[in-house]
Amino acid sequence: HVQRIKGELAALAPRDIFHIWLHPHNLGQDSALRLQRMAQVVELIAERQARNQLASCTMGDLVH
């Protein structure tokens, strides 16, 4: 999953939106592994944001 998301983030064009969300009930049986994957995804997003390659916003930000 992380590699797929990494590729999708790399393929974003300016003004594209990449929607990511988490529902706690989707963590399943191995929640520690799934939370580790989420941490990796958040790190990827933070790295791209630090390089001004991505802006992170809420759904509310998008409608205002």
Side-chain angles (χ1 to χ4, degrees), residues 13-56:
R15 311 225 12 109
D16 275 357
I17 295 173
F18 183 80
H19 181 199
I20 188 164
W21 68 97
L22 170 70
H23 297 279
H25 66 272
N26 294 133
L27 291 176
Q29 296 296 323
D30 195 351
S31 58
L33 175 63
R34 303 266 170 70
L35 286 173
Q36 182 182 20
R37 287 182 182 164
M38 282 301 302
Q40 290 174 310
V41 170
V42 169
E43 179 71 22
L44 291 170
I45 291 168
E47 289 171 3
R48 292 181 62 83
Q49 189 171 1
R51 293 190 306 257
N52 292 320
Q53 296 173 330
L54 179 134
S56 179

